[in-house]
């Protein structure tokens, strides 16, 4: 079994695959842990009321190695040949053959690339409302974006924060009508149309943002405690797509309820898939299902239908 990516999904898959007796290799282009390690503080992973993301990631890596998985870090998968019975995985070091493959390569949150964004990431700048919203209870937050994700995050935060600003470059949302109507009914939400964020300012943590009106050129500074960037995600699915795995319009890998992709023997789990929730817990659950399904695919040929 070869697993691409050592984030929450890949590590969970690695634990189940190794424990089932399969020779398991996880290939990771960076250091193991994935985006779980980027989370400053995780308060929603069952069993750990409050844990540093890096600590949770370390625990998952240790657990996975203890279960018997081989982990190759700093080795990037560069191409895949998945159509045949034997799957070929090429990397920056060598080439491997596998009976089944789990793609758990995650996604990247799109950034807006303004001054202060990188500096205050995890110190007021967030890309996930469900992850970090509760840290801003009773505070002032600002959401950047105008699609479904921005509206859903705004609605979620309107129930937690005292005041919620939404900054959108256009003069209308590109979101479902029901979401927009719901958002417009919230008394603590103010939409700033035709505006873009020019700078995120702070003093150890975020304190304000500078906005510019696209039509008039006027700028203004708004005091906020949190900035939620909601301008989309890019799944790391290019290699899978190039090898024939079916993806959705935005690039997410299409999976069924058993984590199967469009190619037999190829599974996908976590943020790279079209699963609607991008959380550590859901990535772990998908990783587990993919490993058990791949196990059945390898060990019980009648199961392949
Ligand atoms: C700042 C931040 C805070 C968050 N906070 C929370 C939180 O509090 N609670 C929560 O539940 N969720 C949180 N999330 C979301 C959560 O971290 C993710 O949903 C989850 O970790 C996704 O796991 P994954 O295994 O699918 O992907 P990832 O963790 O992204 O792992 C994918 C791995 O694949 C590797 N990879 C990609 N391409 C290749 C390749 N070609 N070859 C080899 N390796 C490759 C990547 O390097 C990466 O390590 C947060 C996310 C961020 C960014």
């Amino acid at each position: 079994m070869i697993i691409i990516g050592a984030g929450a999904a890949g590590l969970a898959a690695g634990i189940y695959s190794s424990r089932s007796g399969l020779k398991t290799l996880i290939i990771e282009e960076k250091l193991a842990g994935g985006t779980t390690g980027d989370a400053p503080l995780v308060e929603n992973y069952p069993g750990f009321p409050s844990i540093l993301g890096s600590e949770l990631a370390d625990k998952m890596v240790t657990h996975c190695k203890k279960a018997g998985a081989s982990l190759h870090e700093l080795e990037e998968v560069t191409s895949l040949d998945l159509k045949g019975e034997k799957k070929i995985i090429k990397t920056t070091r060598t080439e491997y053959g596998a009976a089944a493959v789990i793609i758990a390569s995650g996604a990247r949150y799109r950034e807006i690339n303004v001054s202060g964004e990188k500096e205050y990431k995890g110190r007021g700048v967030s890309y996930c409302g469900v992850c970090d919203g509760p840290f801003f209870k009773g505070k002032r937050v600002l959401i950047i974006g105008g699609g479904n994700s921005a509206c859903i995050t705004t609605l979620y935060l309107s129930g937690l924060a005292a005041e919620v600003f939404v900054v959108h470059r256009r003069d209308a949302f590109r979101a479902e009508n029901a979401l927009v109507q719901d958002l417009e009914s919230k008394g603590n939400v103010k939409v700033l149309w035709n505006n873009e964020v020019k700078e995120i300012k702070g003093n150890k943590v975020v304190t304000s943002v500078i906005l510019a009106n696209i039509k008039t050129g006027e700028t203004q500074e708004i005091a906020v405690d949190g900035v939620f960037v909601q301008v989309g995600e890019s799944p790391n699915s290019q290699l899978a797509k190039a090898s024939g795995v079916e993806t959705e319009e935005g690039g997410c890998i299409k999976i069924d309820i058993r984590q199967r992709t469009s190619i037999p023997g190829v599974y996908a789990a976590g943020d790279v898939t079209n699963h609607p929730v991008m959380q550590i817990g859901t990535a772990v659950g998908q990783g587990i299902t993919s490993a058990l399904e791949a196990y059945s695919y390898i060990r019980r040929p009648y199961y392949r239908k």
Side-chain angles (χ1 to χ4, degrees):
M1 173 95 85
I2 287 194
I3 299 165
I4 302 167
L11 293 167
I15 292 169
Y16 276 70
S17 174
S18 308
R19 293 189 83 242
S20 73
L22 292 177
K23 192 175 170 197
T24 305
L25 170 63
I26 308 179
I27 305 171
E28 167 57 53
E29 67 180 351
K30 299 181 189 150
L31 293 175
T35 41
T36 299
D38 295 339
L41 199 62
V42 178
E43 291 190 340
N44 55 7
Y45 190 70
F48 297 93
S50 181
I51 184 165
L52 296 174
S54 54
E55 200 184 335
L56 182 58
D58 284 348
K59 283 183 186 295
M60 288 183 183
V61 175
T62 306
H63 187 168
C64 189
K65 284 183 184 163
K66 198 171 169 213
S70 298
L71 179 57
H72 288 190
E73 293 176 292
L74 303 173
E75 179 172 353
E76 185 190 350
V77 174
T78 51
S79 77
L80 298 167
D81 181 353
L82 302 172
K83 290 269 164 67
E85 188 87 348
K86 183 180 171 189
K87 317 294 179 196
I88 311 290
I89 295 95
K90 286 194 181 150
T91 74
T92 38
R93 278 188 221 158
T94 185
E95 183 178 306
Y96 304 91
V101 172
I102 296 173
I103 302 165
S105 46
R108 275 159 293 140
Y109 289 90
R110 289 206 188 110
E111 299 181 347
I112 51 166
N113 296 315
V114 297
S115 162
E117 182 181 19
K118 282 203 165 54
E119 195 179 344
Y120 293 107
K121 200 182 274 184
R123 291 191 285 144
V125 174
S126 169
Y127 299 82
C128 174
V130 177
C131 309
D132 301 328
F135 299 124
F136 297 91
K137 223 171 185 171
K139 298 192 171 176
R140 284 159 65 99
V141 296
L142 180 134
I143 288 110
I144 303 164
N148 280 341
S149 305
C151 288
I152 290 167
T153 301
T154 302
L155 288 170
Y156 183 72
L157 291 170
S158 71
L160 293 165
E163 263 184 285
V164 183
F165 298 94
V166 186
V167 176
H168 188 30
R169 300 175 73 157
R170 302 170 192 229
D171 55 10
F173 286 118
R174 286 172 292 107
E176 283 166 33
N177 229 346
L179 287 174
V180 175
Q181 280 172 7
D182 207 358
L183 187 151
E184 283 168 353
S185 73
K186 302 290 174 195
N188 61 345
V189 174
K190 185 175 181 197
V191 186
L192 301 155
W193 302 114
N194 301 313
N195 268 276
E196 61 183 9
V197 172
K198 286 289 177 197
E199 187 183 349
I200 299 169
K201 292 171 77 172
N203 179 13
K204 292 189 181 135
V205 294
V206 167
T207 52
S208 67
V209 291
I210 307 283
L211 302 180
N213 188 301
I214 291 167
K215 295 211 161 152
T216 63
E218 269 173 49
T219 60
Q220 62 173 317
E221 183 165 359
I222 297 187
V224 290
D225 306 290
V227 175
F228 288 79
V229 181
Q230 293 290 297
V231 294
E233 300 92 30
S234 312
N236 300 321
S237 61
Q238 297 82 352
L239 293 180
K241 196 175 174 189
S243 65
V245 172
E246 208 180 324
T247 56
E248 279 191 340
E249 204 183 304
C252 294
I253 295 179
K254 278 190 183 174
I255 40 134
D256 68 6
I257 197 168
R258 285 157 56 181
Q259 306 300 136
R260 293 181 297 191
T261 69
S262 56
I263 299 182
V266 180
Y267 300 80
D271 286 2
V272 74
T273 71
N274 61 350
H275 189 275
V277 181
M278 293 167 77
Q279 289 285 279
I280 300 166
T282 49
V284 165
Q286 287 188 283
I288 293 169
T289 305
S290 64
L292 294 176
E293 290 291 329
Y295 170 83
S296 296
Y297 171 86
I298 293 170
R299 291 275 195 247
R300 301 186 214 133
Y302 64 83
Y303 196 80
R304 296 186 181 187
K305 290 179 201 95

